[in-house]
Amino acid sequence: MSDNILTETLTVQADEPMIDTFDLVFLLTAGVMAILYLYKDTIFGNNSKIATPQQPVSTTIPKPITGPPKKDKDFIKRMKETDKNVILFYGSQTGTAEDYASRLAKEGQQKFGLKTMTVDVEDCNMALLDKFPLDCVAFFLMATYGEGEPTDDAVDFWELITSESPEFSAGIPVEEKPLSSLRYVVFALGNKTYEHFNAVGRMIDNKLTEFGATRIGERGEGDDDGSLEEDFLGWKDDMWKAVCDAMQVDQSEAKDGDHVAAYKITELESCDSNKIFHGEYSGQALMVNGIRPTYDARNPYFSPIVATHELFNTNMTDRNCVHMEFDISGSGLEYETGDHVAVWPMNAEQDVERLLKILGIWEKRDTIVSVESIDPSTTKKYTFPVPATYATIFRYYLDIHAPISRQSIATLATFVSTEEGKARLTNLGSDKESYRIEVSDAHLSLGELLESISPNGKPLDSIPLEFVVEILPRVQPRYYSISSSSKSTPKTIHVTASILSYNPKTTPQRKVYGLATNYILQVHRKLRNIQHPETSPSYLYSGPRNKYYDEGTNLIKMPLHVRHTNFKLPKNSKLPVVMVGPGTGVAPFRGFVIERALVKAQGEEVGETVLFFGCRKRDEDFLYQNEFTELFATLGESGKLITAFSREQSQKVYVQHKFHENGSHIWHLIHNLGGYFYVCGDAKNMARDVNTALGQLAQSCGGMDETSATNYVKDLRSKGRYQEDVWS
């Protein structure tokens, strides 16, 4: 600062008339004295710390912290440099689309001799599609997130392909078919319980064709509501026939062959301890230079939990719902009311121990290893942070809790030495119904599956660890609707988590626990000093390098990041809002109501605020009952809480029924007063029923026929006045 001040002073002086020597000496002396005064603490020290010759003041200028070098997004150049003729683009939110792309790339390479590569669309300049080589093929494996939205990594591509006038690299207008050289394959991933099923994959398919590209084979469509894996397997065989024809590959020469490893695992004898990952998610987390890193999906923030309590009646033993509050002060993270928070779970210690033991590596669980991709089709050398120990990899990075695919089980059978084990795995890998009953519906993990075929629990050390790394998905964050208001608590994020645990119908003797929600539950119990049931999962609460837990203060942290959404209140608070949120679907509406009550308390006008909430019984699972009573009292006549308790009478009553009962008033708020309509919760039944009910209101109250009513509801959606935050 002083250098700039002195420069400005001298600049001004240069424009003045010449001054004499005495004045110049006086001014320079005054300037030096001013600098000495401004930096007296640094030069002479202060009362608490005195500078001495043994403690010289450092004059070293710190080097600026720079991030990783920018990626070259020219995928055409990369294809040419690596001699590839097939590129597989993926847009993935949970890792499934990426996994499918990797599997197809490997199959295309090993079975059909294609030269494949996989790449995240986020890492590509998709405007270069107009330069795609005629003799190559592009795959698009695109997932749909939420209500017809692209995944986070596909946003830029989506904006390009759906813009009114897409601009590709050569500047050719879309009317002149700029993508005429592109031949492509598309597989869309989604969930039929959502209205906009596979909207992203379908739109990309339509737009590519519109811009002159040629699709090879039929578009594949996968439904995550139970049949995604079978949809994928059923589609790819015919797809490969079409691709082979297009690429002039002789299918009669296709080779199944032995499994070829995609990863190389190297056990390290020595390694810099500061560079070993113990559960951190990025290299930024290992930096100890005092510079605050950027926290996002690639580098989650370890957030302190500052409050937690049980929301259900504490006398209930079979159901839990936890309210948890995270402090994001000083992190740089920001959220808006209606956003999502992603919580990164860890695997339970019981599951980690089971898998390490059955694979025969329990005794060397603390061995440091490097896991490197040697698959020529992938551009990712490392798919999770390494070097790390075996225990760390199975605890934090690989989802050992989820069932593995039927295709993976079929390959797994080739590594098992016992005839009984080989026969069982072969059957599960080939028979859809057996796989569904014994693995999928039972939610049988890899560790449990291997235990079931191991005589007397003997380790199955014939299974290559490289294959295990290949078939297990990566641990993904779980997203929760934020239940707080950013205007009320901008530095605290609240989560409302219903805990998942159930006994599968096909294996009723077993209890299955949700990966993230049970982590949340057990952390809540530890913070509250509530005894854990012996059969409940347990976790390494201290986290990597003891960063998660401070025993002295009993403070626990969890890694998280924020995902911004379009699920937002109207900017004009005078407009009415109608919200439907049974169960934990009420989470974002707690934030909405808090915000509306805050605006009202500040003396501003607030439109009518109507909340439909439903649960089983008011004395069991009425979430935030006392809080809502106070909030709606603040809103006064402009607020209305309408409840449905499904099990307090002989005939079940749900929010859908209450919606019909109040239909004429709801229609008035939405149609006559321009109100906004929100739904959060179960997509399969509740959200569909509410959507239907709104269409029926348009007919009964608005005098519309069925077609006009359907279009009216669609128009509300397109204008952002009908918003959903739903899950299957």
Side-chain angles (χ1 to χ4, degrees):
M1 180 182 294
S2 59
D3 288 342
N4 293 334
I5 293 173
L6 185 57
T7 301
E8 290 171 4
T9 303
L10 292 175
T11 301
V12 172
Q13 291 171 353
D15 294 331
E16 299 292 330
M18 293 294 291
I19 56 179
D20 59 28
T21 304
F22 176 80
D23 289 336
L24 180 61
V25 171
F26 175 79
L27 288 171
L28 290 174
T29 302
V32 171
M33 294 300 292
I35 293 171
L36 290 174
Y37 177 77
L38 287 171
Y39 288 91
K40 62 183 184 298
D41 288 343
T42 301
I43 299 173
F44 301 110
N46 53 38
N47 292 333
S48 62
K49 183 177 180 181
I50 301 174
T52 67
Q54 289 76 28
Q55 295 175 318
V57 177
S58 173
T59 58
T60 304
I61 300 175
K63 294 181 180 180
I65 302 299
T66 58
K70 291 185 178 180
K71 293 183 179 180
D72 184 355
K73 295 193 173 187
D74 188 342
F75 63 88
I76 301 292
K77 183 174 73 173
R78 286 156 67 186
M79 289 179 70
K80 291 179 179 178
E81 289 175 348
T82 55
D83 191 29
K84 306 296 185 184
N85 59 6
V86 174
I87 186 169
L88 297 97
F89 300 105
Y90 60 83
S92 184
Q93 193 72 26
T94 63
T96 305
E98 179 181 0
D99 175 58
Y100 284 178
S102 297
R103 288 162 61 179
L104 289 176
K106 189 172 184 180
E107 186 174 0
Q109 171 197 323
Q110 295 179 5
K111 190 172 183 178
F112 303 108
L114 299 171
K115 291 172 280 190
T116 62
M117 65 179 289
T118 62
V119 64
D120 192 330
V121 287
E122 184 178 40
D123 297 329
C124 299
N125 177 7
M126 301 305 284
L128 295 172
L129 282 175
D130 60 345
K131 294 183 178 179
F132 200 80
L134 278 166
D135 58 346
C136 297
V137 171
F139 282 58
F140 294 88
L141 293 101
M142 309 301 299
T144 298
Y145 181 80
E147 290 304 299
E149 302 166 26
T151 54
D152 292 346
D153 57 351
V155 170
D156 290 344
F157 179 39
W158 178 256
E159 291 178 350
L160 167 70
I161 207 80
T162 59
S163 63
E164 291 185 8
S165 301
E167 293 186 12
F168 294 97
S169 64
I172 300 174
V174 293
E175 296 80 12
E176 298 180 23
K177 309 298 182 184
L179 304 187
S180 57
S181 66
L182 174 65
R183 296 183 298 170
Y184 72 95
V185 173
V186 63
F187 185 80
L189 298 84
N191 190 304
K192 280 184 178 177
T193 59
Y194 292 85
E195 179 184 2
H196 303 284
F197 174 57
N198 281 339
V200 172
R202 291 175 177 180
M203 176 63 76
I204 287 174
D205 182 20
N206 293 336
K207 288 294 183 179
L208 291 177
T209 300
E210 179 185 338
F211 302 154
T214 302
R215 190 182 69 212
I216 298 174
E218 296 298 319
R219 179 180 67 225
E221 297 211 350
D223 178 16
D224 193 34
D225 190 28
S227 61
L228 180 58
E229 177 70 14
E230 294 304 329
D231 293 338
F232 174 71
L233 294 177
W235 162 79
K236 72 181 184 68
D237 289 340
D238 287 339
M239 176 276 296
W240 279 128
K241 294 177 183 177
V243 169
C244 287
D245 288 343
M247 299 290 285
Q248 297 181 345
V249 172
D250 187 352
Q251 296 178 62
S252 64
E253 297 181 2
K255 301 169 287 185
D256 285 325
D258 296 331
H259 176 265
V260 177
Y263 293 91
K264 176 185 178 183
I265 298 179
T266 306
E267 296 186 354
L268 306 177
E269 295 183 1
S270 62
C271 186
D272 184 345
S273 60
N274 293 322
K275 295 182 179 180
I276 300 172
F277 290 88
H278 291 276
E280 298 89 352
Y281 295 96
S282 74
Q284 289 188 65
L286 298 184
M287 295 168 64
V288 291
N289 51 29
I291 303 298
R292 188 184 72 188
T294 299
Y295 296 110
D296 52 24
R298 298 178 186 271
N299 183 43
Y301 173 61
F302 295 171
S303 175
I305 300 165
V306 293
T308 174
H309 60 267
E310 173 66 61
L311 291 170
F312 287 168
N313 189 313
T314 54
N315 294 324
M316 296 172 60
T317 58
D318 60 334
R319 297 171 63 212
N320 297 93
C321 186
V322 173
H323 172 88
M324 189 166 279
E325 299 180 10
F326 298 94
D327 184 3
I328 57 172
S329 301
S331 67
L333 288 175
E334 295 180 350
Y335 78 98
E336 294 181 0
T337 309
D339 282 345
H340 293 164
V341 62
V343 175
W344 291 73
M346 68 173 77
N347 290 304
E349 288 302 289
Q350 293 94 323
D351 294 336
V352 174
E353 182 176 342
R354 174 189 291 116
L355 190 53
L356 288 172
K357 284 184 174 179
I358 199 65
L359 292 173
I361 54 174
W362 173 251
E363 298 301 327
K364 56 179 184 177
R365 59 189 178 278
D366 294 326
T367 300
I368 301 166
V369 299
S370 176
V371 182
E372 179 181 347
S373 173
I374 55 175
D375 184 351
S377 67
T378 182
T379 55
K380 287 186 177 181
K381 188 175 182 180
Y382 305 105
T383 58
F384 50 78
V386 287
T389 65
Y390 283 119
T392 294
I393 292 170
F394 284 95
R395 180 179 294 120
Y396 295 104
Y397 302 142
L398 297 178
D399 190 348
I400 65 175
H401 174 265
I404 62 173
S405 69
R406 183 164 63 86
Q407 189 176 29
S408 296
I409 292 178
T411 306
L412 186 64
T414 64
F415 299 116
V416 176
S417 56
T418 66
E419 291 302 319
E420 296 82 0
K422 188 183 294 290
R424 178 156 188 258
L425 294 181
T426 300
N427 178 62
L428 291 175
S430 59
D431 189 297
K432 294 181 184 179
E433 191 64 9
S434 295
Y435 173 81
R436 181 188 66 78
I437 295 172
E438 297 184 46
V439 180
S440 180
D441 289 357
H443 200 91
L444 197 69
S445 69
L446 174 61
E448 291 174 306
L449 176 62
L450 295 180
E451 272 189 342
S452 71
I453 64 168
S454 173
N456 303 318
K458 183 180 178 182
L460 301 174
D461 50 14
S462 60
I463 300 173
L465 296 178
E466 292 83 358
F467 178 67
V468 174
V469 170
E470 180 182 341
I471 64 174
L472 286 175
R474 307 303 176 249
V475 168
Q476 299 293 331
R478 270 51 173 179
Y479 292 88
Y480 297 91
S481 302
I482 294 176
S483 55
S484 52
S485 163
S486 57
K487 289 187 178 179
S488 175
T489 55
K491 298 302 180 183
T492 309
I493 290 176
H494 299 183
V495 165
T496 307
S498 179
I499 312 306
L500 175 65
S501 64
Y502 65 97
N503 297 87
K505 292 181 179 179
T506 56
T507 55
Q509 74 282 3
R510 295 171 53 252
K511 185 174 284 292
V512 173
Y513 298 92
L515 180 60
T517 59
N518 276 274
Y519 179 36
I520 289 173
L521 175 61
Q522 301 308 328
V523 167
H524 156 72
R525 285 172 170 166
K526 185 168 184 62
L527 288 171
R528 288 282 183 170
N529 293 316
I530 300 172
Q531 186 174 0
H532 295 214
E534 291 184 4
T535 56
S536 296
S538 60
Y539 301 88
L540 187 67
Y541 302 104
S542 58
R545 289 185 168 85
N546 298 315
K547 292 179 180 179
Y548 287 8
Y549 183 53
D550 185 335
E551 189 171 356
T553 60
N554 196 34
L555 183 71
I556 296 181
K557 300 178 181 180
M558 280 190 187
L560 57 79
H561 70 270
V562 172
R563 184 183 193 274
H564 300 296
T565 73
N566 296 319
F567 196 73
K568 296 289 181 286
L569 282 167
K571 293 181 179 179
N572 183 357
S573 61
K574 297 178 182 179
L575 291 172
V577 296
V578 178
M579 302 163 286
V580 182
T584 52
V586 80
F589 302 139
R590 175 177 178 264
F592 281 15
V593 175
I594 289 174
E595 195 153 304
R596 302 273 282 191
L598 183 64
V599 173
K600 182 69 178 280
Q602 293 170 344
E604 298 182 33
E605 182 181 347
V606 175
E608 188 159 344
T609 304
V610 179
L611 171 62
F612 289 88
F613 171 74
C615 62
R616 293 183 181 182
K617 295 182 179 180
R618 74 185 74 218
D619 59 352
E620 285 187 0
D621 51 357
F622 192 158
L623 304 183
Y624 304 110
Q625 180 178 5
N626 296 333
E627 189 174 339
F628 277 131
T629 300
E630 295 178 5
L631 289 169
F632 278 94
T634 300
L635 289 169
E637 294 182 358
S638 66
K640 191 173 185 180
L641 174 61
I642 301 171
T643 54
F645 304 106
S646 62
R647 302 192 181 183
E648 287 191 352
Q649 56 282 312
S650 58
Q651 188 172 1
K652 292 182 179 180
V653 176
Y654 298 108
V655 289
Q656 298 92 306
H657 302 122
K658 294 292 184 178
F659 187 81
H660 280 291
E661 291 177 11
N662 296 269
S664 59
H665 184 58
I666 299 305
W667 177 254
H668 172 69
L669 295 177
I670 295 174
H671 183 68
N672 298 334
L673 300 184
Y676 279 57
F677 187 62
Y678 302 90
V679 180
C680 182
D682 165 48
K684 181 178 288 188
N685 298 308
M686 183 275 298
R688 283 186 175 181
D689 290 346
V690 171
N691 181 80
T692 301
L694 187 58
Q696 292 170 346
L697 283 188
Q699 295 179 62
S700 61
C701 299
M704 303 179 190
D705 57 30
E706 184 175 354
T707 301
S708 298
T710 299
N711 291 334
Y712 177 82
V713 172
K714 288 183 177 179
D715 186 58
L716 286 177
R717 290 180 181 274
S718 66
K719 292 179 178 178
R721 290 178 51 209
Y722 183 164
Q723 300 180 29
E724 288 184 321
D725 181 2
V726 294
W727 55 84
S728 59

